[in-house]
């Protein structure tokens, strides 16, 4: 059963749509990457799912709770990390975390605070005032605050933005750990490599949902599989022989490589390699072209832009 579900969820500010018609379902323990350009509706969607603002139309369920009613109950089941930390800068980290933990019933504040300060590597520096913390330390403290009440669902808005590589790696490791514990993570990020390494599925939005699937399935949907064969050189007679192969749908030289689209990649690949070698071709490497998540993302946005232009 899905732990996050949205049903035609929409939010307008005046006549301007921030997000419209969003329908999706996210399973327990899933890390969903929520991608889109600035102004695409990502933060607005998180604010609706966290019960901070109400939708203009449609509705959402998170951990069995409507997000537009009984918000206090909803907040017991979710953790939220926003781009601004919002701590009391003149108080210590431990005091800040104890204060926020006090909003949640039925938890042992001191045990939970120690557990999560240790988890994010801040226990030894718990008595420092937050104003003395680096940006990375504040982000770790914000993650501890989001997790201190053991929520089922975490909403993370740009959790590694502005962090140095070591701090960003630590945050990514924590996100992986959350998923292994069975928590659901709704991750909004501009870091596409991060999204591909962390997320089970990718949602791309630009006011509306453009695509929702695994990165591999999105690649298969948007791009033809191509084989790149690199050779020492490409003799002219070799190209003539290759053009006569019935299973080659597309062929294009690119420097000392030849790009192929084949009828059946698994079946035809060894036949193609054998023919090239028999014809005297000296092969350096044979590998399938791999499109990055950035290629997928930009392709989807281009499709959306073309569609918008066609309707103007």
């Amino acid at each position: 059963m899905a732990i996050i579900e949205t049903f035609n969820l929409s939010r307008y500010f005046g006549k301007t749509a921030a997000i419209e018609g969003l329908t999706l379902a996210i399973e327990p323990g899933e890390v969903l990457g929520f991608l889109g350009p600035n102004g695409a509706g990502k933060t607005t969607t998180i604010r609706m799912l966290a019960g901070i603002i109400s939708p203009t139309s449609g509705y959402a369920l998170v951990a069995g709770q409507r997000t537009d009613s009984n918000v206090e109950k909803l907040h017991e089941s979710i953790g939220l990390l926003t781009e601004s930390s919002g701590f009391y800068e003149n108080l210590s980290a431990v005091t800040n975390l104890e204060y926020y933990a006090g909003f949640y019933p039925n938890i042992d504040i001191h045990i939970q605070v120690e557990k999560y300060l240790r988890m994010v590597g801040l226990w030894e520096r718990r008595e420092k005032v937050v104003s003395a913390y680096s940006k990375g330390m504040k982000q770790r403290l914000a993650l501890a605050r989001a997790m201190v009440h053991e929520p089922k669902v975490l909403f993370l808005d740009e959790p590694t933005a502005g962090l140095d590589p070591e701090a960003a790696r630590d945050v990514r490791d924590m996100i992986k750990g959350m998923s292994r514990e069975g928590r659901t993570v709704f991750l909004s990020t501009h870091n596409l490599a991060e999204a591909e390494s962390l997320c089970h599925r990718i949602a791309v939005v630009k006011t509306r949902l453009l695509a929702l699937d695994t990165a591999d399935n999105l690649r298969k949907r948007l791009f033809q599989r191509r084989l790149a064969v690199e050779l020492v050189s490409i003799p002219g007679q070799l190209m003539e022989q290759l053009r006569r192969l019935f299973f080659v749908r597309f062929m294009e030289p690119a420097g000392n490589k030849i790009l192929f689209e084949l009828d059946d990649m698994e079946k035809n690949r060894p036949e193609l390699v054998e023919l090239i070698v028999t014809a005297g071709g000296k092969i350096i490497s044979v590998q399938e072209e791999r499109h990055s998540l950035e290629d997928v993302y930009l392709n989807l946005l281009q499709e959306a832009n073309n569609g918008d232009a066609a309707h103007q």
Side-chain angles (χ1 to χ4, degrees), residues 223-239:
F223 299 103
Q224 290 286 342
R225 294 177 68 186
R226 284 189 175 183
L227 191 69
V229 179
E230 184 179 6
L231 300 111
V232 173
S233 63
I234 305 176
Q237 67 271 21
L238 175 61
M239 294 295 292

Side-chain angles (χ1 to χ4, degrees), residues 34-221:
F34 201 60
L35 311 181
N38 291 332
K42 303 187 302 298
T43 298
T44 296
T45 299
I46 287 177
R47 288 167 64 83
M48 285 192 288
L49 295 178
I52 297 171
I53 59 175
S54 297
T56 304
S57 61
Y59 69 98
L61 295 170
V62 175
Q65 301 292 325
R66 285 273 299 236
T67 63
D68 53 355
S69 61
N70 200 9
V71 173
E72 287 188 9
K73 187 71 175 175
L74 170 69
H75 287 171
E76 292 176 18
S77 299
I78 69 169
L80 175 65
L81 185 147
T82 60
E83 288 187 83
S84 57
S85 59
F87 289 112
Y88 294 97
E89 296 274 324
N90 61 330
L91 298 179
S92 69
V94 69
T95 301
N96 264 281
L97 202 53
E98 286 174 347
Y99 171 74
Y100 287 109
F103 287 106
Y104 302 103
N106 306 317
I107 69 168
D108 188 312
I109 292 174
H110 297 296
I111 289 176
Q112 290 300 104
V113 166
E114 180 176 350
K115 173 183 175 180
Y116 282 101
L117 283 176
R118 286 188 183 279
M119 181 179 291
V120 299
L122 295 176
W123 179 248
E124 302 303 324
R125 289 174 280 189
R126 64 190 180 278
E127 298 297 346
K128 271 193 171 185
V129 294
V130 172
S131 60
Y133 271 22
S134 67
K135 183 176 175 66
M137 291 166 69
K138 287 180 181 178
Q139 197 75 329
R140 294 184 194 188
L141 184 59
L143 272 172
R145 179 178 62 188
M147 296 187 292
V148 72
H149 56 298
E150 308 284 357
K152 298 175 183 176
V153 179
L154 284 136
F155 294 103
L156 308 181
D157 195 357
E158 298 291 344
T160 60
L163 300 187
D164 63 61
E166 184 179 6
R169 181 199 61 201
D170 290 344
V171 169
R172 287 193 291 270
D173 287 344
M174 281 184 271
I175 292 171
K176 291 175 184 176
M178 295 172 201
S179 179
R180 285 194 296 268
E181 291 172 0
R183 302 186 197 199
T184 302
V185 180
F186 191 100
L187 173 65
S188 173
T189 180
H190 284 110
N191 187 327
L192 300 182
E194 178 176 272
E196 183 154 24
S197 70
L198 291 175
C199 300
H200 298 102
R201 288 190 298 161
I202 303 295
V204 180
V205 296
K206 188 185 176 189
T207 306
R208 57 186 175 84
L209 182 65
L210 303 181
L212 173 60
D213 211 329
T214 66
D216 280 341
N217 284 345
L218 289 174
R219 271 189 279 268
K220 291 174 185 175
R221 170 187 140 187

Side-chain angles (χ1 to χ4, degrees), residues 2 4-10 21-26 45 48-49 58-62 67 186 209:
I4 299 175
E5 291 183 278
T6 69
F7 302 88
N8 206 32
L9 191 69
S10 302
L22 180 66
T23 298
L24 53 77
I26 305 168
T45 299
M48 285 192 288
L49 295 178
Y59 69 98
L61 295 170
V62 175
T67 63
F186 191 100
L209 182 65

